[in-house]
Amino acid sequence: DAGITQSPRHKVTETGTPVTLRCHQTENHRYMYWYRQDPGHGLRLIHYSYGVKDTDKGEVSDGYSVSRSKTEDFLLTLESATSSQTSVYFCAISESSGFDQPQHFGDGTRLSIL
Amino acid sequence: TQLLEQSPQFLSIQEGENLTVYCNSSSVFSSLQWYRQEPGEGPVLLVTVVTGGEVKKLKRLTFQFGDARKDSSLHITAAQPGDTGLYLCAGEGNTGFQKLVFGTGTRLLVSP
């Protein structure tokens, strides 16, 4: 299994509070991704990174920011959490951007915003 | 925006039955992947299809990419309880970068 660790695995917080989710990889892969998974929507890309300090927006980036100061860590921040951001968040990594390079996923963080 | 619709959304069958899951879009994809996800875990890649009309087999699972690269199907022969899970298709657009668009998912339950 790819070495991907997401933390925390579960979090409950209140509306308006800041939240940071961490994704840590031991594979030295260049590409890292944050997705959210909601019923009826599948997985949707929030932000992705193609190298240290190189990030870009995905399909549903509003209300989220990311940072990547080291190859192994990709942080997702909700500056002021809202109930609509209650979801399961997955981090993924890939060695390159080619179609023949699969994305490997972490086990997710279940985030509830009350 | 590229969208992928999967059907059916839910499927409950008995062990030994055959089934087909469909993944359809009005957009063309440069490649399409199928994942299986189990509760509490992330999706795991099963296969990638790249060429229109391509057929790939993985034991009892057969994957096909449509000729026009807009649709795909997953056929399972003689389903087993271990096949239970959420099946997701994911298409890669023509951006030259692996920004996957995921389908809505098919939840399969195979009962003994």
Side-chain angles (χ1 to χ4, degrees):
Chain A
D1 290 343
I4 307 168
T5 304
Q6 290 187 232
S7 59
R9 291 296 315 278
H10 302 272
K11 187 173 182 66
V12 180
T13 190
E14 294 184 347
T15 300
T17 60
V19 178
T20 296
L21 308 183
R22 180 183 183 232
C23 178
H24 178 79
Q25 60 141 333
T26 59
E27 305 298 317
N28 201 36
H29 283 357
R30 180 180 173 188
Y31 295 85
M32 298 186 76
Y33 314 79
W34 276 109
Y35 292 89
R36 60 178 289 174
Q37 184 173 33
D38 304 289
H41 289 279
L43 281 90
R44 292 179 291 175
L45 182 65
I46 305 171
H47 281 280
Y48 61 96
S49 170
Y50 46 97
V52 174
K53 296 193 189 322
D54 292 323
T55 65
D56 204 349
K57 296 179 179 180
E59 178 188 356
V60 290
S61 60
D62 286 349
Y64 301 95
S65 62
V66 290
S67 65
R68 191 167 178 202
S69 59
K70 299 184 291 185
T71 298
E72 57 266 35
D73 289 325
F74 193 30
L75 304 181
L76 176 70
T77 297
L78 291 66
E79 300 289 348
S80 178
T82 67
S83 58
S84 64
Q85 294 176 310
T86 291
S87 186
V88 182
Y89 291 86
F90 286 96
C91 171
I93 65 174
S94 66
E95 193 166 0
S96 74
S97 63
F99 67 86
D100 58 336
Q101 293 296 322
Q103 291 188 18
H104 300 282
F105 287 80
D107 287 336
T109 293
R110 184 172 295 275
L111 178 63
S112 296
I113 301 166
L114 307 178
Chain B
T1 303
Q2 294 176 304
L3 295 174
L4 278 167
E5 297 282 345
Q6 284 186 239
S7 61
Q9 285 186 294
F10 303 98
L11 197 51
S12 181
I13 61 173
Q14 295 296 120
E15 183 176 1
E17 292 185 35
N18 301 332
L19 67 116
T20 301
V21 176
Y22 299 94
C23 175
N24 296 298
S25 177
S26 58
S27 303
V28 175
F29 291 95
S30 57
S31 67
L32 197 134
Q33 301 175 356
W34 283 93
Y35 291 79
R36 182 168 68 206
Q37 184 180 15
E38 302 196 16
E41 298 181 6
V44 175
L45 181 68
L46 296 173
V47 76
T48 300
V49 285
V50 178
T51 306
E54 182 176 4
V55 177
K56 280 193 174 179
K57 292 191 175 185
L58 187 65
K59 297 184 181 178
R60 294 174 295 99
L61 279 61
T62 301
F63 305 85
Q64 183 164 8
F65 202 11
D67 291 341
R69 290 185 289 129
K70 294 183 179 181
D71 55 84
S72 181
S73 63
L74 158 60
H75 182 78
I76 301 179
T77 303
Q80 300 178 358
D83 296 326
T84 292
L86 178 67
Y87 289 82
L88 296 161
C89 62
E92 181 184 6
N94 299 314
T95 63
F97 179 77
Q98 202 185 111
K99 290 170 68 173
L100 295 177
V101 174
F102 278 83
T104 47
T106 294
R107 192 166 298 279
L108 173 65
L109 174 63
V110 183
S111 302

